[in-house]
Amino acid sequence: MILYRAHLLWSDSLNELRDIEDGGLLVDEAGLIVASGSFDETVAQHPLTEVRDLRPHWILPGLIDLHVHLPQYESVAMDGLELLPWLNTHIFPAEARFADPGLAKSAAQQFFGDLLSLGTTTAVVYSTVHQEATDIAFREAESCGIRCAMGKVMMDQNAPEALSEDTETSLQQSDELIQQWHGKADGRLLYALAPRFAPMCTPALMRGVGTLSEKTGAYIQTHLAESLDEILWVAKLFPECANYTDVYRQYGMLNTRTLLGHGVHLTATERAMIRRAGSTIVHCPSSNAFLKSGVMPLRRWLEEGLLVGLGTDVAGGPTLSMWNEMAMAGTVSKLRCTLLQEPEATVKPAEAFHLATRGAASSLGLKDRIGGLDKGMEADFIVVDPRVVDPAKRNDDATDRVLSRLIYRAVPRMVKATFVRGSQCFIQES
Ligand SMILES: [Zn+2]
């Protein structure tokens, strides 16, 4: 066992932070947190344990990115287009290149390595339509130690020719990947079925996805109500459905393991449908700003009781940093507050931090295992140096001020080390 000594900070709920200034985090060989509390108490209870003194660094739970596209990483920050033309111009050609296993391997190594270096310990990932590239990505995730839920993209209509598949093959290959990877590495690797979005999926495919999810416990990830042009397209393609969300409801894709990317433009009826199903909206504010999709009213969705997490949505979002995403969630909420005169819209750093840790874990059904530093949880944590982002290099500042700087002034070198289930997956070269 190892006892880590540092300032411990984690979130209990949207409004409550847990904060132990001279803390001890005791982790056993299996990567479980055996104790977390004051250092003096913890060391008194476990006097013979090896101590690693990390002061003045802080320990936080690892960050959770609920929506990100591995094959799009090479296409980040391509400015100038909105969602549908951006997909055709930049994204589909990039995804088609993943037919090459060599490229799939090197891209996955870079992607997971960069996520870990930024403090992300869990990611919910879209691969491409390629079964082999997805298998390769899972192998890389297995060996680098990151926790992830991932799936091959599924598209059986309106997709470019190089990425089109027939319904049966898409479902069959997804099922094979589920058998191979869902729950592997003692549950560190999970499968997330990935029908891209309604315009590129037939009702038969979506029904098959719902059935597979029920049968296997795999997650479902897809996109919903991201841009206005997309919503018009869905209305044309699915006249039998009352609205965009109703497409997913009618064809069996809404359950408690469904992660719906974006949800920028949702009617009250749609929000009620999502709440009833217990599905999660994944807020991707950087991507929504970058592609001019809109500004999701995060505060309102939270007050209505919707489950919400955060996602970088690379390459719609320009960076893999969840720090950046937390900052953007705060920033766009403030823009809503001033531009749209919604005085209550502002989202605080502690709330964004909750959405990126324990809140996201809860959406994944993993709130007892990850997202916090409580006894009995798996030790997914990061070591950060708050002085890196503090011009005054303080060691004794108030926690809410420290957290605000970590989020709004984040730079990669403030993350010193990243651990998943007690294993060190990243350490910053000094
Ligand atoms: Zn996306």
Side-chain angles (χ1 to χ4, degrees):
M1 285 202 285
I2 298 172
L3 177 57
Y4 296 95
R5 184 176 193 178
H7 192 132
L8 306 182
L9 174 66
W10 72 106
S11 169
D12 254 357
S13 71
L14 210 49
N15 304 307
E16 285 169 287
L17 287 174
R18 294 277 295 280
D19 183 26
I20 305 172
E21 199 178 320
D22 184 8
L25 186 76
L26 184 62
V27 179
D28 72 9
E29 286 74 18
L32 294 178
I33 298 173
V34 177
S36 68
S38 83
F39 176 76
D40 288 345
E41 276 173 28
T42 316
V43 82
Q45 283 160 12
H46 305 273
L48 299 175
T49 311
E50 177 192 346
V51 174
R52 285 200 198 154
D53 192 346
L54 302 174
R55 293 174 300 168
H57 297 168
W58 290 36
I59 288 179
L60 277 57
L63 305 177
I64 302 174
D65 185 342
L66 285 185
H67 183 127
V68 62
H69 298 258
L70 184 161
Q72 298 180 12
Y73 189 27
E74 62 169 271
S75 309
V76 282
M78 291 299 101
D79 189 33
L81 297 170
E82 294 186 15
L83 175 66
L84 299 175
W86 170 81
L87 283 171
N88 286 320
T89 306
H90 298 298
I91 298 308
F92 292 144
E95 294 196 2
R97 288 195 280 277
F98 278 68
D100 171 4
L103 179 116
K105 184 176 163 80
S106 59
Q109 284 169 341
Q110 178 83 42
F111 175 78
F112 290 124
D114 285 2
L115 279 172
L116 288 165
S117 75
L118 292 163
T120 297
T121 51
T122 298
V124 180
V125 180
Y126 289 75
S127 174
T128 56
V129 291
H130 308 99
Q131 182 176 18
E132 189 180 6
T134 309
D135 186 56
I136 288 166
F138 266 116
R139 282 179 206 286
E140 291 306 321
E142 183 178 35
S143 68
C144 77
I146 199 167
R147 189 184 297 276
C148 81
M150 181 159 54
K152 76 170 232 61
V153 163
M154 307 169 83
M155 295 191 273
D156 68 340
Q157 69 170 2
N158 298 320
E161 205 178 313
L163 296 170
S164 248
E165 11 167 48
D166 69 73
T167 313
E168 273 316 304
T169 310
S170 184
L171 290 166
Q172 174 69 30
Q173 291 184 347
S174 298
D175 197 9
E176 286 170 14
L177 286 163
I178 290 172
Q179 302 312 322
Q180 213 168 339
W181 291 108
H182 187 57
K184 287 293 147 62
D186 290 324
R188 180 165 60 78
L189 303 174
L190 296 158
Y191 201 84
L193 288 147
R196 178 166 227 124
F197 65 157
M200 295 189 179
C201 300
T202 61
L205 185 77
M206 291 188 271
R207 279 203 192 93
V209 165
T211 307
L212 268 179
S213 172
E214 289 304 323
K215 193 178 90 183
T216 63
Y219 298 100
I220 298 173
Q221 56 181 339
T222 190
H223 298 81
L224 171 68
E226 178 176 357
S227 81
L228 295 173
D229 286 348
E230 168 210 11
I231 292 168
L232 290 174
W233 194 16
V234 170
K236 261 193 216 134
L237 287 168
F238 300 94
E240 73 280 16
C241 299
N243 51 54
Y244 196 161
T245 305
D246 193 43
V247 176
Y248 294 147
R249 187 195 63 80
Q250 276 202 36
Y251 299 124
M253 290 213 329
L254 291 190
N255 66 40
T256 54
R257 294 180 304 284
T258 305
L259 303 165
L260 300 160
H262 306 293
V264 177
H265 312 279
L266 291 172
T267 62
T269 319
E270 292 181 278
R271 274 139 41 208
M273 262 179 211
I274 295 164
R275 266 200 312 275
R276 270 198 301 275
S279 306
T280 291
I281 299 281
V282 186
H283 181 36
C284 308
S286 299
S287 170
N288 297 156
F290 191 74
L291 297 175
K292 292 197 293 171
S293 301
V295 181
M296 195 195 91
L298 173 57
R299 166 67 60 204
R300 202 185 322 155
W301 282 193
L302 288 172
E303 278 172 2
E304 288 182 3
L306 280 163
L307 295 168
V308 183
L310 297 177
T312 59
D313 192 27
V314 155
T319 154
L320 288 177
S321 168
M322 282 299 290
W323 305 99
N324 181 69
E325 217 49 52
M326 290 187 268
M328 277 300 282
T331 299
V332 301
S333 75
K334 285 185 249 193
L335 291 174
R336 278 197 80 92
C337 181
T338 50
L339 297 176
L340 302 175
Q341 299 184 331
E342 292 179 3
E344 300 306 315
T346 302
V347 171
K348 296 186 185 72
E351 294 174 308
F353 179 58
H354 176 76
L355 297 180
T357 54
R358 198 186 287 275
S362 186
S363 287
L364 293 172
L366 300 174
K367 72 173 165 36
D368 298 329
R369 289 172 59 186
I370 58 170
L373 301 176
D374 304 278
K375 181 181 171 183
M377 296 181 101
E378 299 188 21
D380 288 15
F381 66 94
I382 56 177
V383 179
V384 300
D385 182 355
R387 293 170 309 171
V388 170
V389 290
D390 180 2
K393 309 291 177 213
R394 282 162 279 217
N395 274 324
D396 55 355
D397 207 3
T399 296
D400 58 340
R401 291 163 51 96
V402 171
L403 183 61
S404 189
R405 276 194 297 269
L406 286 172
I407 290 174
Y408 281 105
R409 284 176 51 76
V411 290
R413 67 192 164 85
M414 74 192 193
V415 179
K416 298 298 178 190
T418 302
F419 292 75
V420 179
R421 198 185 273 154
S423 292
Q424 186 175 283
C425 301
F426 164 77
I427 183 153
Q428 191 186 115
E429 308 282 337
S430 52

